[in-house]
PDB file of all heavy atoms in Angstrom:
ATOM      1  N   LEU A  98       5.699  -0.979   5.011  1.00  0.00           N
ATOM      2  CA  LEU A  98       5.614  -2.211   4.283  1.00  0.00           C
ATOM      3  C   LEU A  98       6.920  -2.524   3.528  1.00  0.00           C
ATOM      4  O   LEU A  98       7.481  -3.643   3.605  1.00  0.00           O
ATOM      5  CB  LEU A  98       4.435  -2.220   3.337  1.00  0.00           C
ATOM      6  CG  LEU A  98       2.985  -2.126   3.885  1.00  0.00           C
ATOM      7  CD1 LEU A  98       2.029  -2.305   2.805  1.00  0.00           C
ATOM      8  CD2 LEU A  98       2.879  -3.144   4.989  1.00  0.00           C
ATOM      9  N   ALA A 159       2.801  20.097 -20.178  1.00  0.00           N
ATOM     10  CA  ALA A 159       2.326  21.472 -20.350  1.00  0.00           C
ATOM     11  C   ALA A 159       3.231  22.394 -21.087  1.00  0.00           C
ATOM     12  O   ALA A 159       2.871  23.456 -21.442  1.00  0.00           O
ATOM     13  CB  ALA A 159       1.913  22.022 -19.010  1.00  0.00           C
ATOM     14  N   THR A 247      14.063  21.521  14.624  1.00  0.00           N
ATOM     15  CA  THR A 247      13.827  20.928  13.266  1.00  0.00           C
ATOM     16  C   THR A 247      12.761  21.734  12.476  1.00  0.00           C
ATOM     17  O   THR A 247      12.949  22.020  11.311  1.00  0.00           O
ATOM     18  CB  THR A 247      13.314  19.513  13.428  1.00  0.00           C
ATOM     19  OG1 THR A 247      14.294  18.734  14.211  1.00  0.00           O
ATOM     20  CG2 THR A 247      13.098  18.853  12.117  1.00  0.00           C
ATOM     21  N   SER A 311       7.624 -14.767   2.773  1.00  0.00           N
ATOM     22  CA  SER A 311       7.862 -14.960   4.208  1.00  0.00           C
ATOM     23  C   SER A 311       6.676 -15.311   5.004  1.00  0.00           C
ATOM     24  O   SER A 311       6.725 -15.808   6.107  1.00  0.00           O
ATOM     25  CB  SER A 311       8.575 -13.692   4.792  1.00  0.00           C
ATOM     26  OG  SER A 311       7.820 -12.592   4.520  1.00  0.00           O
ATOM     27  N   PHE A 319      14.632 -19.218   5.946  1.00  0.00           N
ATOM     28  CA  PHE A 319      14.730 -20.724   5.790  1.00  0.00           C
ATOM     29  C   PHE A 319      13.575 -21.143   4.912  1.00  0.00           C
ATOM     30  O   PHE A 319      12.462 -21.350   5.370  1.00  0.00           O
ATOM     31  CB  PHE A 319      14.659 -21.352   7.218  1.00  0.00           C
ATOM     32  CG  PHE A 319      15.867 -20.959   8.051  1.00  0.00           C
ATOM     33  CD1 PHE A 319      15.697 -19.846   8.885  1.00  0.00           C
ATOM     34  CD2 PHE A 319      16.991 -21.698   8.040  1.00  0.00           C
ATOM     35  CE1 PHE A 319      16.718 -19.493   9.692  1.00  0.00           C
ATOM     36  CE2 PHE A 319      18.098 -21.268   8.889  1.00  0.00           C
ATOM     37  CZ  PHE A 319      17.946 -20.247   9.681  1.00  0.00           C
ATOM     38  N   GLY A 413      -4.863  10.057  25.081  1.00  0.00           N
ATOM     39  CA  GLY A 413      -5.135   8.685  25.290  1.00  0.00           C
ATOM     40  C   GLY A 413      -6.376   8.193  24.623  1.00  0.00           C
ATOM     41  O   GLY A 413      -6.877   7.044  24.842  1.00  0.00           O
ATOM     42  N   LEU A 419      -6.836  11.331  15.671  1.00  0.00           N
ATOM     43  CA  LEU A 419      -7.644  11.929  14.564  1.00  0.00           C
ATOM     44  C   LEU A 419      -7.196  13.370  14.392  1.00  0.00           C
ATOM     45  O   LEU A 419      -7.062  13.853  13.237  1.00  0.00           O
ATOM     46  CB  LEU A 419      -9.111  11.844  14.923  1.00  0.00           C
ATOM     47  CG  LEU A 419     -10.094  12.455  13.969  1.00  0.00           C
ATOM     48  CD1 LEU A 419     -10.055  11.691  12.685  1.00  0.00           C
ATOM     49  CD2 LEU A 419     -11.499  12.445  14.560  1.00  0.00           C
ATOM     50  N   PHE A 472     -12.358  16.643  -4.753  1.00  0.00           N
ATOM     51  CA  PHE A 472     -12.630  16.164  -3.371  1.00  0.00           C
ATOM     52  C   PHE A 472     -12.339  14.727  -3.188  1.00  0.00           C
ATOM     53  O   PHE A 472     -11.772  14.248  -2.209  1.00  0.00           O
ATOM     54  CB  PHE A 472     -14.060  16.491  -2.876  1.00  0.00           C
ATOM     55  CG  PHE A 472     -14.320  17.894  -2.475  1.00  0.00           C
ATOM     56  CD1 PHE A 472     -14.598  18.920  -3.357  1.00  0.00           C
ATOM     57  CD2 PHE A 472     -14.188  18.173  -1.116  1.00  0.00           C
ATOM     58  CE1 PHE A 472     -14.867  20.205  -2.945  1.00  0.00           C
ATOM     59  CE2 PHE A 472     -14.449  19.523  -0.663  1.00  0.00           C
ATOM     60  CZ  PHE A 472     -14.771  20.483  -1.587  1.00  0.00           C
ATOM     61  N   LYS A 507       5.846  -2.817  16.337  1.00  0.00           N
ATOM     62  CA  LYS A 507       5.961  -3.593  17.611  1.00  0.00           C
ATOM     63  C   LYS A 507       6.318  -5.013  17.353  1.00  0.00           C
ATOM     64  O   LYS A 507       7.184  -5.635  18.004  1.00  0.00           O
ATOM     65  CB  LYS A 507       4.728  -3.416  18.452  1.00  0.00           C
ATOM     66  CG  LYS A 507       4.534  -2.004  19.015  1.00  0.00           C
ATOM     67  CD  LYS A 507       3.103  -1.820  19.607  1.00  0.00           C
ATOM     68  CE  LYS A 507       2.893  -2.742  20.754  1.00  0.00           C
ATOM     69  NZ  LYS A 507       1.464  -2.567  21.336  1.00  0.00           N
ATOM     70  N   TRP A 509       7.700  -6.300  14.686  1.00  0.00           N
ATOM     71  CA  TRP A 509       9.075  -6.390  14.097  1.00  0.00           C
ATOM     72  C   TRP A 509      10.102  -6.379  15.195  1.00  0.00           C
ATOM     73  O   TRP A 509      11.048  -7.100  15.209  1.00  0.00           O
ATOM     74  CB  TRP A 509       9.248  -5.255  13.090  1.00  0.00           C
ATOM     75  CG  TRP A 509      10.621  -5.315  12.480  1.00  0.00           C
ATOM     76  CD1 TRP A 509      11.722  -4.611  12.876  1.00  0.00           C
ATOM     77  CD2 TRP A 509      11.033  -6.134  11.303  1.00  0.00           C
ATOM     78  NE1 TRP A 509      12.795  -4.940  12.059  1.00  0.00           N
ATOM     79  CE2 TRP A 509      12.365  -5.888  11.106  1.00  0.00           C
ATOM     80  CE3 TRP A 509      10.331  -7.020  10.509  1.00  0.00           C
ATOM     81  CZ2 TRP A 509      13.063  -6.426  10.099  1.00  0.00           C
ATOM     82  CZ3 TRP A 509      11.055  -7.596   9.479  1.00  0.00           C
ATOM     83  CH2 TRP A 509      12.386  -7.339   9.289  1.00  0.00           C
ATOM     84  N   VAL A 519       2.254 -10.866   7.007  1.00  0.00           N
ATOM     85  CA  VAL A 519       0.810 -11.105   6.812  1.00  0.00           C
ATOM     86  C   VAL A 519       0.048  -9.827   6.977  1.00  0.00           C
ATOM     87  O   VAL A 519      -0.753  -9.473   6.131  1.00  0.00           O
ATOM     88  CB  VAL A 519       0.345 -12.204   7.848  1.00  0.00           C
ATOM     89  CG1 VAL A 519      -1.150 -12.384   7.675  1.00  0.00           C
ATOM     90  CG2 VAL A 519       1.048 -13.511   7.605  1.00  0.00           C
TER      91      VAL A 519
END
Side-chain angles (χ1 to χ4, degrees):
L98 295 188
T247 302
S311 57
F319 297 90
L419 180 64
F472 277 88
K507 290 168 64 179
W509 179 266
V519 176

